[in-house]
Amino acid sequence: MVVDLESALQDEEEEEEEHARDGDAPAHHPFAPPDESFDLSTTVDPSYIISLIRKLIPPNQTYNSCSSQVEGNKSQKSSSDPFEGKLAPPDGTRVQDSANDFSEIMDVIDDNNEPACEEGKVDGESGCGNGVPEASTLEEVWEGYGCILWDLAASQTHAELMVENLVLDVLLANLTVSQSTRVREICLGIIGNVACHEVLMKSIVSTKGLIDAIMDQLFLDDTQCLCEACRFLTLAIQCNESITWAEALLPDHVIRRLVWIAENTLNPLLIEKSVGLLLTILENQQAASILLPPLIDIGLPNVLFDLLAYEMSQLTSEENFKRYPVLDVILRAIEALSVTDDHSDKISSNKGLIGLVGDLVKLPDKMEIADSCVTAAVLMANIMSDVTDLAPEMSQDLPFLQGLLDILPFAANDIEARNALWSIIVRLLVHIKESEMGISSLYQYVSVLASKCDMIDEDLLDHQTDSFVKHGSSDGCKTKPNVTMALKRIISILHQWKTLKDNAEENSLSGKPHIDGSLVDKLLHCCERYINR
């Protein structure tokens, strides 16, 4: 039976309470009544963590397959065993050999009087045979111990204790010899949680053979293992040891495998994790300097375009909400590529990509994919800065202008995104020749602007003093001119509309378009207020 952490802690608490009832508790600190007690977790006993690590050591008969870090043979324990001493409990008791540890696991099953066959069933078949638990049962017990350590590793204190007691060597041994994908997933999960603590990344790097073992996991065909491997490598690229991990990913067969995973998997979570790793590489200057050239050579931009096209096609499916994070991370990766030196043309020259991004901006219901729409706006701003003739063309696309205005509330607290939105809006508005338009054509633009009056007004009110921008912020300085210029264009378009409308009324023209005049006046007022503040 798998050792349960909560049960262990509960037993510890009950033992403390029993001592207290025997008179061990100070009289001036009486225990609270049961109905007033808080359910607080106690510190995990270090010896318990060490015992869990010992239980993960592979049995002796597999040592001959391990790396040199884990030595031994079937007949006796090696005197140079690196686990000896380090994994000893605090009282100095010598660590048993791994064969005995494995027997101890079986003893746990027997001691709890639970039939091994119930836990060892595979596809409905009993795991009982001569009273010896099946390998599947032993693996389940191993998984239980491993999962407890996986959770404990989220705490830096526990993770440091685990590293001090050679958990990385134990995990390396399992990655090297285990044929179980579940065991490998748990090992990668524990290492991933250890990697969350920056101070421990050096220990991971310095564990001989561990880097190569982790890279080998990328060539598995198990989705969960690949997800954990990508999660760990994402953390690794973000740490101070990023160059080491970038160089580990550099071999042609490794980097191609990573891109192949992102391109060919159908699992949304694995797409998110693998593309997320690629995004982290693109955003890390040191890693990008090493890995970006080969990534471009093997066609990363086209892979991302194809992934975006597929995700866009899934937006109309019934369970599309499960794919929202995937859509966002793909867009962020493309946006990161769009600002890379020497490679931004791969993005700006792709008309199919521009069409997809435009379609995303024009979607009527954006609430569920708000983050993706904001990223799409930033990406479009980057493209327009490279493609000078795109703005005149897009200025004729009224649904696109309307979509940009719809995104304003979602970018309210993102300085970069807000600046990107207003930079696109002003690029579009400067190409509108209101003085050369007839009343019907001008009506369409005024109708869009007036219908978004409240959104524009709210954005301007929230930022009219730009108090959300730190003094001296270059992003804030960029946003103000874009907003001011865009508002001046809106004012000019609205005044032209009012002039044409008044002339039409004087001439009693029939069939003249109608727009709520109060909305036009309100929009004029808020634009002029912002400019004259």
Side-chain angles (χ1 to χ4, degrees):
M1 183 178 181
V2 178
V3 173
D4 182 67
L5 178 57
E6 290 187 5
S7 298
L9 294 177
Q10 185 176 357
D11 291 342
E12 181 182 336
E13 291 174 356
E14 290 176 355
E15 184 177 342
E16 290 177 356
E17 291 178 3
E18 184 176 348
H19 284 305
R21 286 193 297 269
D22 293 338
D24 293 341
H28 58 286
H29 285 157
F31 285 94
D35 59 334
E36 297 180 12
S37 299
F38 293 97
D39 185 17
L40 297 176
S41 298
T42 59
T43 302
V44 178
D45 188 345
S47 63
Y48 176 63
I49 295 178
I50 294 171
S51 70
L52 291 175
I53 298 174
R54 290 172 54 203
K55 289 177 171 61
L56 299 192
I57 300 176
N60 257 0
Q61 57 263 36
T62 63
Y63 274 23
N64 57 348
S65 317
C66 294
S67 66
S68 59
Q69 297 243 348
V70 185
E71 301 176 359
N73 54 52
K74 292 184 180 180
S75 60
Q76 63 180 10
K77 182 180 177 67
S78 169
S79 60
S80 61
D81 190 345
F83 300 137
E84 184 174 352
K86 266 289 188 176
L87 292 179
D91 60 4
T93 304
R94 189 175 183 276
V95 178
Q96 296 175 338
D97 67 327
S98 57
N100 288 340
D101 282 338
F102 206 62
S103 299
E104 186 177 319
I105 296 176
M106 291 189 287
D107 291 341
V108 171
I109 301 172
D110 295 335
D111 290 344
N112 283 278
N113 297 319
E114 294 195 11
C117 58
E118 291 302 316
E119 294 190 20
K121 290 182 179 178
V122 180
D123 296 331
E125 297 182 4
S126 174
C128 289
N130 299 323
V132 179
E134 288 259 337
S136 59
T137 302
L138 301 178
E139 184 177 308
E140 289 174 7
V141 175
W142 189 102
E143 290 175 12
Y145 296 135
C147 287
I148 295 173
L149 285 175
W150 191 345
D151 291 336
L152 290 174
S155 162
Q156 181 170 328
T157 301
H158 297 148
E160 288 176 348
L161 176 65
M162 291 160 62
V163 170
E164 289 171 2
N165 286 277
L166 298 183
V167 72
L168 296 177
D169 298 271
V170 174
L171 298 175
L172 171 59
N174 282 282
L175 289 175
T176 304
V177 304
S178 177
Q179 300 300 312
S180 166
T181 54
R182 176 59 174 159
V183 168
R184 290 171 178 262
E185 177 198 352
I186 293 172
C187 290
L188 290 169
I190 296 172
I191 298 172
N193 278 3
V194 171
C196 291
H197 316 296
E198 178 74 24
V199 295
L200 297 178
M201 185 55 75
K202 285 186 179 293
S203 299
I204 296 176
V205 172
S206 62
T207 301
K208 186 178 180 181
L210 187 54
I211 293 178
D212 291 338
I214 291 173
M215 293 302 152
D216 288 343
Q217 309 314 304
L218 290 175
F219 293 88
L220 298 173
D221 292 326
D222 181 75
T223 298
Q224 297 304 319
C225 286
L226 292 173
C227 285
E228 287 304 319
C230 290
R231 180 177 80 95
F232 167 78
L233 290 170
T234 299
L235 293 166
I237 293 295
Q238 293 171 337
C239 76
N240 293 332
E241 306 290 332
S242 60
I243 294 179
T244 299
W245 293 101
E247 291 174 344
L249 287 166
L250 185 57
D252 186 68
H253 70 289
V254 177
I255 198 69
R256 285 182 180 275
R257 172 66 176 181
L258 176 57
V259 175
W260 185 91
I261 292 170
E263 182 180 16
N264 289 280
T265 182
L266 298 178
N267 183 278
L269 181 60
L270 184 52
I271 299 175
E272 180 185 351
K273 297 297 183 183
S274 57
V275 177
L277 172 54
L278 293 168
L279 169 62
T280 301
I281 292 171
L282 296 174
E283 291 180 335
N284 184 290
Q285 186 174 357
Q286 292 180 322
S289 65
I290 297 171
L291 296 174
L292 185 55
L295 285 172
I296 296 296
D297 290 342
I298 61 180
L300 176 61
N302 290 331
V303 170
L304 294 175
F305 300 158
D306 292 341
L307 288 172
L308 178 61
Y310 179 76
E311 293 305 321
M312 287 291 294
S313 71
Q314 296 299 302
L315 284 178
T316 56
S317 67
E318 292 182 359
E319 296 187 354
N320 58 338
F321 64 90
K322 295 181 179 179
R323 309 192 71 94
Y324 293 156
V326 180
L327 176 63
D328 186 52
V329 74
I330 293 171
L331 281 166
R332 289 169 58 199
I334 297 174
E335 191 270 323
L337 266 180
S338 71
V339 294
T340 56
D341 295 336
D342 304 324
H343 302 297
S344 61
D345 60 308
K346 301 287 194 308
I347 305 299
S348 57
S349 62
N350 191 305
K351 292 185 178 180
L353 169 67
I354 295 173
L356 288 173
V357 176
D359 290 342
L360 183 58
V361 170
K362 288 185 282 189
L363 284 175
D365 186 6
K366 298 182 175 65
M367 183 62 68
E368 298 295 334
I369 53 171
D371 291 341
S372 296
C373 290
V374 170
T375 305
V378 176
L379 174 56
M380 185 61 79
N382 295 341
I383 294 174
M384 281 190 171
S385 64
D386 288 342
V387 186
T388 55
D389 60 347
L390 181 60
E393 176 186 345
M394 299 297 289
S395 67
Q396 307 301 311
D397 191 343
L398 287 168
F400 180 71
L401 174 61
Q402 181 173 337
L404 291 172
L405 295 171
D406 285 335
I407 298 173
L408 275 177
F410 305 134
N413 297 318
D414 188 330
I415 300 174
E416 180 187 1
R418 183 171 180 261
N419 177 49
L421 275 167
W422 280 108
S423 71
I424 301 175
I425 293 171
V426 73
R427 286 175 187 271
L428 301 181
L429 295 180
V430 296
H431 291 286
I432 298 175
K433 308 299 181 184
E434 66 274 8
S435 60
E436 302 173 7
M437 288 182 177
I439 190 170
S440 297
S441 298
L442 189 58
Y443 162 80
Q444 299 179 54
Y445 288 96
V446 175
S447 177
V448 168
L449 294 171
S451 66
K452 305 302 175 185
C453 173
D454 290 338
M455 290 184 177
I456 296 173
D457 188 24
E458 182 177 351
D459 182 82
L460 299 179
L461 283 173
D462 288 344
H463 305 103
Q464 65 179 3
T465 61
D466 289 323
S467 58
F468 75 109
V469 180
K470 294 180 180 179
H471 294 296
S473 169
S474 59
D475 287 329
C477 293
K478 292 177 184 176
T479 306
K480 293 179 183 179
N482 284 330
V483 175
T484 301
M485 189 180 301
L487 296 183
K488 288 180 177 179
R489 293 295 304 125
I490 292 175
I491 291 172
S492 177
I493 291 170
L494 295 181
H495 278 310
Q496 180 66 16
W497 162 255
K498 295 186 73 172
T499 299
L500 290 178
K501 181 173 176 293
D502 290 342
N503 290 339
E505 290 176 351
E506 288 180 7
N507 296 326
S508 301
L509 295 177
S510 59
K512 53 185 180 296
H514 174 74
I515 297 176
D516 188 342
S518 63
L519 288 179
V520 174
D521 291 338
K522 180 180 179 180
L523 183 56
L524 271 172
H525 173 71
C526 71
C527 291
E528 290 171 347
R529 181 190 64 226
Y530 183 91
I531 293 174
N532 298 324
R533 73 191 191 286

